[in-house]
Amino acid sequence: MDTVDSYRRFAEREARGQSPTYERLALAVAADAGLLALLDRLPVPRRQPNLLFGAARFLGGPVDDPDRFRAWATANWSGLAATMSARRTQTNEAARCAVLLPLLARLPQPLALLEVGASAGLCLHPDRYRYAYGAHRVGPADSPVELSCAVDGPAPLPDQVPEVVWRAGLDLNPLDVTGPDDLAWLTALVWPEHQDRRDRLRAAALVARESPAPVHRGDLLTDLPALAATAPRDATLVVFHSAVLAYLPAEGRRAFAELVRGLPGHWISNEGAGVFPEFAEGLSVPDGPARFLLALDGRPVAWTGPHGQSLHWLANWA
């Protein structure tokens, strides 16, 4: 897919209905030969729309008007390209814990959580958030973070949060929410219209600061086994990831699946259906916005909203 198609696809399939601002910007970039030529100087992984728009907002660029954005981006390309080269799209959406929780609560307790592609580690605190699945509420009442998730299907909603005795993350570029710079970057990655997600990010950062989970710098293919080996043996190891493996080539995803299946414990995947297409074979995708496929040890469990906003449990899973 070339850069033009990438931005058009982003506008039509991801931003439409979710962010009118980014839909307009992506279509404007796709029609701007000069800006496309600048983007094509960057490596392919650095050309993605979320990275461009997040970097522009991080630097204070205008995103409310496509013409102003194009002019600003062209005039400030040197700084913009430097930020895009130094940063990654590491959106850390704590609300994804809402779709993970039913699985985590059903596994043998206590748990040792290991997240790959952990960013700042905000998804490593599922036991410290409060959840609202319609009228069903669970989690500490005094948590500053409440995660709302619409549910349909026979989801096994838990009556209590899991017991977590160990937690750690692995990331190529760990972020630190105790510092203003990394928190500002995470904030810039939240789409303009999503004020509730920005509020949630700041609240989850407060939780993480009180008792940080270590996020180690490393590669998920080479450094995962050593980190997993440090988890306590009297706890159930759970290796999980969400919106991470799409950034690996197909052979990297296959290698990761083989690696994680060789570890003790369980593997939870929450990714776009194309990441592991074999998981989605024979499944019909619900109508509506784009969905992720939640799987436990390679077995599909539910369709989920990309930001943890919905959970469509599969009827044949028990």
Side-chain angles (χ1 to χ4, degrees):
M1 186 185 307
D2 63 18
T3 310
V4 173
D5 290 339
S6 174
Y7 276 76
R8 286 177 178 161
R9 181 186 179 94
F10 175 83
E12 295 168 359
R13 300 194 182 186
E14 297 186 47
R16 184 163 296 168
Q18 301 295 319
S19 175
T21 299
Y22 278 3
E23 181 182 358
R24 290 191 297 267
L25 290 189
L27 291 174
V29 171
D32 189 313
L35 195 47
L36 290 168
L38 293 173
L39 283 165
D40 283 339
R41 296 178 187 174
L42 298 174
V44 172
R46 303 296 183 177
R47 301 174 194 170
Q48 56 184 288
N50 273 324
L51 185 57
L52 171 63
F53 302 150
R57 296 178 65 212
F58 181 69
L59 297 173
V63 297
D64 55 336
D65 178 81
D67 290 335
R68 289 180 62 219
F69 172 80
R70 290 158 57 198
W72 179 89
T74 302
N76 294 275
W77 182 252
S78 177
L80 189 54
T83 300
M84 294 170 69
S85 297
R87 294 281 184 174
R88 298 173 183 269
T89 51
Q90 294 174 272
T91 303
N92 206 183
E93 183 51 76
R96 289 176 178 142
C97 288
V99 302
L100 303 176
L101 190 75
L103 286 182
L104 295 175
R106 285 171 66 92
L107 295 176
Q109 305 292 308
L111 304 181
L113 300 182
L114 200 170
E115 183 183 14
V116 296
S119 186
L122 300 185
C123 288
L124 284 165
H125 304 277
D127 52 328
R128 295 170 179 162
Y129 301 145
R130 184 159 176 79
Y131 302 85
Y133 301 98
H136 186 93
R137 281 173 161 71
V138 62
D142 59 350
S143 175
V145 179
E146 180 169 293
L147 308 177
S148 297
C149 181
V151 178
D152 63 272
L157 299 179
D159 293 322
Q160 60 186 21
V161 294
E163 179 188 0
V164 181
V165 295
W166 183 90
R167 62 193 94 213
L170 185 65
D171 200 284
L172 287 172
N173 182 45
L175 298 182
D176 181 4
V177 292
T178 65
D181 197 51
D182 283 349
L183 185 56
W185 174 245
L186 286 173
T187 303
L189 290 174
V190 178
W191 293 5
E193 295 85 356
H194 298 182
Q195 183 60 45
D196 59 333
R197 292 179 58 209
R198 273 187 292 281
D199 294 341
R200 185 164 56 239
L201 170 63
R202 295 186 182 102
L206 292 176
V207 172
R209 287 171 180 169
E210 290 178 359
S211 183
V215 180
H216 303 268
R217 187 179 300 276
D219 183 271
L220 56 81
L221 291 176
T222 58
D223 299 307
L224 177 59
L227 182 56
T230 67
R233 297 193 177 187
D234 57 352
T236 301
L237 176 67
V238 183
V239 177
F240 71 98
H241 52 87
S242 187
V244 171
L245 294 192
Y247 296 103
L248 291 184
E251 60 270 20
R253 297 195 291 269
R254 287 193 293 269
F256 175 80
E258 182 177 353
L259 174 67
V260 75
R261 282 186 167 118
L263 296 175
H266 294 277
W267 167 34
I268 296 177
S269 169
N270 186 44
E271 302 280 352
V275 169
F276 292 112
E278 64 273 21
F279 293 177
E281 287 181 4
L283 299 180
S284 57
V285 183
D287 294 334
R291 307 273 186 138
F292 284 0
L293 184 60
L294 181 68
L296 174 65
D297 299 325
R299 182 185 177 189
V301 170
W303 295 104
T304 69
H307 298 138
Q309 69 271 42
S310 62
L311 183 62
H312 178 91
W313 206 264
L314 299 179
N316 62 349
W317 196 90

